[in-house]
Amino acid sequence: MGFTRAELLAFQDRTVDDLVGADCKLLFVGINPGLWTAATGAHFARPGNRFYPALARAGIVDHVIDASRGMSDADRTLLLDRGVGITNVVSRATAAAAELTVDEFRDGGRRLRERVRVIGPRVVAVAGITAYRSAFGRRDAVAGRQDETWDGAQLWVVPNPSGLNAHETVDTLAAAYRRAAVAAGVVDDLRSPPS
């Protein structure tokens, strides 16, 4: 399944439902949905996005999920059964995160805190240091576990899996995601994940 640019642009400003189950332990937080994600209704769906390869490499899931055509029921169930949830700081879809305003980040940050209160994960993993700094005014934040908690949830900042974040690899993404997953109790330990 492919989309023309015009087809994708028709999804500008749409929203994508959160992927969250009753036993969410690890809540990944993207910046906002891209147009491909809005078109398919599946988070991190753009072909080439390294999120699902990194989840598999980290041992969080047992295979690479292909969400480029939408999320299959089996893959959705796999994520939910593993206690993995996905949401965004800002809910509206754009062609690029640069289209978002500072106010949208701040408002999205407030809404995210409320969602965390309701969902109750053990760990919140915000995918992107710039998004975290913008949404929460933490200009000096660094990647990794933060010193604050949100309603009892550990807060982590992990690398964004977008190809625009070129200095990260699937291996470095997987290592960061695995540390957050261990803290959430989704995987057992930091020893090397299955290859």
Side-chain angles (χ1 to χ4, degrees):
M1 171 194 297
F3 297 100
T4 66
R5 178 156 174 72
E7 288 171 332
L8 286 175
L9 287 173
F11 290 92
Q12 184 83 22
D13 299 327
R14 298 267 179 99
T15 60
V16 176
D17 291 338
D18 291 346
L19 176 67
V20 176
D23 188 28
C24 181
K25 298 175 185 144
L26 173 58
L27 181 65
F28 281 100
V29 181
I31 298 170
N32 76 306
L35 298 180
W36 198 289
T37 286
T40 62
H43 295 273
F44 299 107
R46 184 166 192 78
N49 189 296
R50 299 167 298 169
F51 181 73
Y52 296 109
L55 289 188
R57 184 80 49 91
I60 296 169
V61 295
D62 61 4
H63 67 276
V64 176
I65 293 170
D66 179 0
S68 65
R69 296 184 179 126
M71 182 77 65
S72 73
D73 289 341
D75 287 337
R76 183 181 327 279
T77 298
L78 171 65
L79 288 167
L80 297 177
D81 286 352
R82 295 288 296 151
V84 175
I86 307 172
T87 190
N88 290 288
V89 174
V90 177
S91 60
R92 80 175 180 99
T94 61
E99 297 173 37
L100 301 173
T101 67
V102 172
D103 285 342
E104 283 181 292
F105 272 113
R106 288 183 186 140
D107 291 345
R110 283 190 287 275
R111 283 190 302 274
L112 175 61
R113 291 292 305 266
E114 180 56 33
R115 285 197 302 273
V116 168
R117 187 173 296 111
V118 170
I119 294 167
R122 295 179 188 167
V123 169
V124 176
V126 179
I129 189 73
T130 302
Y132 176 71
R133 289 173 178 163
S134 298
F136 302 102
R138 305 278 199 252
R139 295 175 194 234
D140 297 330
V142 295
R145 184 174 176 186
Q146 304 304 297
D147 59 2
E148 65 179 306
T149 60
W150 289 355
D151 295 295
Q154 289 182 19
L155 179 61
W156 290 67
V157 176
V158 297
N160 189 294
S162 166
L164 297 175
N165 193 7
H167 66 278
E168 296 290 348
T169 66
V170 170
D171 287 335
T172 60
L173 293 167
Y177 297 174
R178 186 170 179 86
R179 285 190 291 275
V182 168
V186 171
V187 295
D188 292 331
D189 60 43
L190 284 173
R191 286 180 287 186
S192 297
S195 50

